[in-house]
Amino acid sequence: MRNETLLLTNVTLIDGTGRQPIKNATIEVVNGRFGTITEYRDTQFKNGKVKEIDLNGLVMLPGFIHTHAHTSFKFLQNEPFHGYHKEYLTACFEEGITTIRDEGMTTNATIDDVIAHSNRLDSVLFPRLITSGKVFTAPGGYGGQEPIGVGNVEEARLKVREVLEKGIHFIKTALEDGYDPSTFGLPKLNQEILETICKEAREMGAHVSAHVTNAKNLRILVNSGIHDAAHMIYDRLDDDLIRQMVEKNVRIVPTLTVLKMFQDKFGAPLLKQGLDNVRRFVQAGGEIGLGDDFVEEEKPWYRLGMPWEEIRLLGDAGLTPMQIIVAATSVGAKICNLSHEIGTIQTAKKADLFVIEGDPLANIDNLRKVKFVMKEGNIRFC
């Protein structure tokens, strides 16, 4: 595809910006990027050899961005898994997910391991991977089997620079007290160290995502300079904190699926508050991404591929199909620090998209009817 101009014609375009769909659009793809985008069939293209695909009224969307999954160096059925979960990556790609943000490894593998395996992934066969490597936490704190424990400001500064210079894409930190009597009282980073982590990452052009589950810790993290919260908190997200997050462009990946699973398996009454938090956050102008904290297939909550339970729960929180699509595209790109390259179908951005049959704005389940997926101009028919 990269040696010719590809015209995708006669398609209904939902471009990821939240604007109304464009009927009968023509989208030009040149060298893996979007070229001219018109609301009609323009015959005056000047990029040499042209191949045209008439999509006959199908619907096109930007490739979806999954902003919270664990795709490598994790535990599957309580056993350490070394490398990438390729079955999961393939299923995601075939269902329209072209970028996945990996929120951290949990085994004792090294940063060098994850970078080496990332470099060996076939970029044509799998989604784009954005990875944090290991979690930054207090020594002995929350964050997997061997997180990066930092005990002072200088250590935090050096470690942030070290992992980013090695090729890690963003920093993941945690501020977690513990979930049950066996983990209550975990050591936590203080605000000075958190501020240092965020400042150092920002200076190197990287974002900081934070594992957090309660409002008290979320407020500390927001004041420290994080870019996104990796979960919706379990208690009430108060209006003042919502306003502060909106003003600072701090986004949330709700992972409502986790709350639903905890409620179903353990009777923890978390989901109602989580849904209310999401509803009020979005109504106040807050931006959310799509992500379910996938680790392994566990039905009915987790499956290989598109996080359908999360999409359903976002609908339960009051989001419209268009709001869910925007969360999975343009907001996801902001969360990944890649909005200049992906997330919307706009001229000069990478040609990531998928084509479906049926109107997803009338019925979000039409997203299941995938005809083909494109990543950087390379088509995978489904």
Side-chain angles (χ1 to χ4, degrees), residues 120-380:
R120 289 200 292 268
L121 277 179
D122 190 321
S123 62
V124 174
L125 296 178
F126 301 113
R128 180 181 300 102
L129 268 296
I130 310 298
T131 183
S132 65
K134 289 176 175 280
V135 175
F136 276 68
T137 189
Y142 176 89
Q145 196 173 53
E146 289 188 9
I148 299 173
V150 291
N152 57 61
V153 166
E154 186 58 27
E155 191 174 14
R157 181 179 296 114
L158 291 174
K159 287 292 184 180
V160 168
R161 289 199 165 270
E162 178 185 332
V163 300
L164 292 176
E165 287 171 354
K166 281 187 173 184
I168 291 300
H169 301 100
F170 70 101
I171 299 297
K172 171 81 174 286
T173 191
L175 201 61
E176 177 57 62
D177 299 283
Y179 293 107
D180 54 49
S182 68
T183 59
F184 287 161
L186 290 173
K188 296 190 299 182
L189 295 169
N190 63 41
Q191 186 158 344
E192 184 183 20
I193 294 176
L194 287 166
E195 288 174 357
T196 299
I197 290 170
C198 294
K199 179 176 182 292
E200 207 67 23
R202 196 180 300 273
E203 288 181 356
M204 295 188 71
H207 281 189
V208 176
S209 178
H211 167 93
V212 59
T213 56
N214 66 54
K216 172 174 62 75
N217 288 337
L218 178 57
R219 190 178 297 277
I220 293 169
L221 289 161
V222 170
N223 288 333
S224 298
I226 64 165
H227 294 84
D228 75 271
H231 301 283
M232 177 51 74
I233 58 174
Y234 300 171
D235 53 354
R236 190 175 191 276
L237 181 61
D238 67 60
D239 294 339
D240 286 341
L241 185 51
I242 289 175
R243 280 193 291 271
Q244 185 180 359
M245 295 178 75
V246 172
E247 289 171 1
K248 293 186 174 184
N249 291 320
V250 180
R251 300 173 178 96
I252 300 176
V253 183
T255 65
L256 292 169
T257 305
V258 177
L259 306 187
K260 180 68 163 64
M261 182 181 69
F262 283 174
Q263 181 167 295
D264 291 346
K265 291 176 73 172
F266 309 115
L270 302 174
L271 183 59
K272 182 178 179 181
Q273 185 63 69
L275 293 170
D276 181 65
N277 287 343
V278 170
R279 183 181 301 111
R280 291 184 299 106
F281 185 71
V282 172
Q283 286 176 348
E287 293 186 319
I288 65 165
L290 175 67
D292 64 353
D293 197 11
F294 176 90
V295 176
E296 62 183 322
E297 189 172 16
E298 189 173 1
K299 296 178 179 178
W301 310 284
Y302 290 98
R303 64 187 295 274
L304 303 180
M306 188 72 73
W308 277 107
E309 182 67 2
E310 189 70 20
I311 289 171
R312 185 187 69 78
L313 290 168
L314 290 175
D316 287 351
L319 273 71
T320 66
M322 181 64 89
Q323 286 176 311
I324 293 170
I325 290 167
V326 169
T329 55
S330 57
V331 179
K334 293 176 186 176
I335 290 170
C336 291
N337 198 19
L338 287 174
S339 57
H340 59 295
E341 290 277 37
I342 61 174
T344 56
I345 296 177
Q346 293 178 301
T347 299
K349 289 192 177 183
K350 291 183 177 179
D352 292 1
L353 61 87
F354 68 118
V355 171
I356 64 171
E357 183 178 2
D359 181 4
L361 303 182
N363 183 352
I364 196 75
D365 280 346
N366 284 325
L367 291 173
R368 299 176 186 267
K369 302 174 183 178
V370 180
K371 308 302 285 186
F372 70 83
V373 182
M374 177 185 289
K375 178 175 167 237
E376 296 188 32
N378 295 294
I379 290 180
R380 183 184 186 116

